[in-house]
């Protein structure tokens, strides 16, 4: 008995029928926009999603680039502002220094004009801080009328005080022996009691001056802060120029005199400008105005 091996086959009519079904479905899809599988919608979704992804990536890269550029600009602006602020602060400091300098020079000018004796305004240009021989050098000399032994004064904190005296004169510069030089002995008086003594230094501007030869019996009449002034004797300095104030009084059993420490009226560490005075000539600055 023979087996029937005939497989499943489409007839021509069936194939034509299926073809028309497929064609009809495709035409129906593109004409009505709807079908079991909406290919038009699927295509739009795929392409729009891809386009959105591309847009998101490009937009993200663009934002990153813009952020980097903006950050660079902000950093540049910040550096410029910091530089301007530093320049402004420097300008403020410079203006403050200029104002202080102008104030100091104005006080010096008023002091110079108000002094009865002829005087020459000078500036300190160097300092010899040797403990044994301490000197100051000023920027005025014989060409400016300065002579040896002329007293040197200064105006500081509203006080006229003694700086020292001229000991050496050059053509354009002069040397000043300050009151704290150990070789400078100044005849002085205690202002309120008028007791006479001698003031000398220890060679160091930071050390107090020493006043000697004040009798012990006047100790009860003395007080801390009493002013010491020049006596005007020996023709070295004008009278009643402030030297300093009493800061310490020591009574020694073996000595008939008091040991008195004097704080200079002038702060030599801040001293810049001085006045060299000629006591033998009158100041004609105000007279000529």
């Amino acid at each position: 008995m023979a087996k029937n091996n005939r497989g499943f086959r489409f007839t021509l009519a069936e194939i034509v029928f299926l073809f028309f079904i497929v064609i009809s479905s495709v035409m129906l899809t593109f004409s009505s926009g709807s079908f079991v599988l909406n290919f038009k919608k699927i295509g739009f979704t795929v392409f729009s999603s891809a386009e959105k992804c591309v847009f998101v990536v490009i937009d993200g890269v663009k934002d990153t680039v813009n952020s980097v550029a903006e950050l660079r600009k902000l950093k540049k602006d910040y550096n410029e502002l910091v530089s301007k602020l530093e320049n402004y602060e420097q300008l403020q400091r410079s203006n403050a220094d200029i104002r202080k300098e102008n104030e100091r020079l104005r006080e010096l000018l008023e002091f110079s004009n108000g002094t009865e004796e002829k005087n020459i305004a000078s500036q300190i240009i160097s300092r010899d801080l040797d403990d044994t021989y301490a000197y100051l050098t000023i920027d005025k000399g014989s060409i400016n009328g300065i002579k040896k032994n002329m007293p040197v004064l200064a105006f500081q904190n509203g006080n006229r005080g003694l700086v020292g005296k001229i000991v050496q004169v050059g053509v354009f510069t002069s040397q000043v022996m300050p009151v704290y030089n150990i070789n400078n002995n100044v005849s002085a008086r205690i202002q309120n009691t008028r007791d006479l003594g001698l003031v000398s230094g220890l060679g160091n501007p930071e050390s107090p001056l020493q006043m000697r030869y004040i009798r012990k019996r006047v100790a009860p009449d003395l007080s801390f802060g009493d002013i010491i002034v020049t006596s005007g004797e020996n023709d070295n300095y004008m009278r009643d120029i402030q030297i300093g104030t009493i800061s310490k009084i020591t009574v020694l059993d073996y000595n008939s005199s008091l040991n008195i420490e004097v704080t200079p009226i002038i702060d030599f560490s801040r001293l810049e400008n001085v006045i060299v005075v000629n006591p033998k000539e009158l100041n004609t600055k105000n007279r000529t105005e």
Side-chain angles (χ1 to χ4, degrees), residues 198-233:
L198 199 65
V199 172
S200 59
L202 298 175
N204 189 331
E206 301 298 326
S207 299
L209 306 175
Q210 304 293 318
M211 188 172 192
R212 296 168 292 160
Y213 309 120
I214 300 297
R215 297 164 297 176
K216 284 184 177 180
R217 63 183 179 85
V218 303
D221 300 325
L222 304 181
S223 301
F224 297 132
D226 283 350
I227 298 174
I228 309 300
V229 297
T230 56
S231 68
E233 298 181 2

Side-chain angles (χ1 to χ4, degrees), residues 67-250:
S67 298
V68 171
E70 186 175 358
L71 182 61
R72 289 178 180 174
K73 185 176 183 301
L74 288 174
K75 185 176 181 180
K76 181 180 178 182
D77 293 343
Y78 172 77
N79 291 334
E80 290 178 354
L81 288 173
V82 170
S83 178
K84 289 180 180 179
L85 180 60
E86 290 177 350
N87 293 335
Y88 175 76
E89 291 176 348
Q90 180 64 36
L91 182 61
Q92 288 292 96
R93 287 193 293 268
S94 298
N95 289 338
D97 292 340
I98 291 173
R99 287 194 295 270
K100 289 180 181 179
E101 179 67 15
N102 289 339
E103 181 67 23
R104 185 165 56 248
L105 293 177
R106 183 166 57 251
E107 290 178 349
L108 184 66
L109 179 62
E110 293 175 355
F111 169 52
S112 176
N113 291 337
T115 302
E116 295 181 358
E117 297 81 8
K118 183 178 180 180
N119 58 81
I120 303 163
S122 307
Q123 184 175 6
I124 297 173
I125 57 175
S126 68
R127 301 168 190 258
D128 183 357
L129 299 179
D130 187 280
D131 286 344
T132 304
Y133 303 103
Y135 295 93
L136 306 174
T137 301
I138 59 175
D139 64 347
K140 295 294 189 297
S142 59
I143 195 172
N144 306 106
I146 292 181
K147 298 178 182 179
K148 189 176 180 179
N149 291 326
M150 281 185 174
V152 181
L153 312 180
F155 187 80
Q156 195 177 73
N157 300 323
N159 298 313
R160 183 177 73 159
L162 180 65
V163 174
K165 66 178 179 180
I166 300 293
V167 292
Q168 187 172 342
V169 181
V171 178
F172 302 106
T173 60
S174 299
Q175 192 175 62
V176 179
M177 178 189 289
V179 291
Y180 56 81
N181 188 301
I182 61 175
N183 291 326
N184 195 353
N185 297 306
V186 182
S187 179
R189 290 185 183 275
I190 300 173
Q191 190 177 57
N192 64 337
T193 66
R194 308 310 295 177
D195 287 286
L196 182 66
L198 199 65
V199 172
S200 59
L202 298 175
N204 189 331
E206 301 298 326
S207 299
L209 306 175
Q210 304 293 318
M211 188 172 192
R212 296 168 292 160
Y213 309 120
I214 300 297
R215 297 164 297 176
K216 284 184 177 180
R217 63 183 179 85
V218 303
D221 300 325
L222 304 181
S223 301
F224 297 132
D226 283 350
I227 298 174
I228 309 300
V229 297
T230 56
S231 68
E233 298 181 2
N234 302 326
D235 201 29
N236 285 332
Y237 301 98
M238 301 91 73
R239 186 176 181 177
D240 289 333
I241 303 298
Q242 293 187 41
I243 300 173
T245 58
I246 295 177
S247 55
K248 184 178 180 180
I249 302 173
T250 304

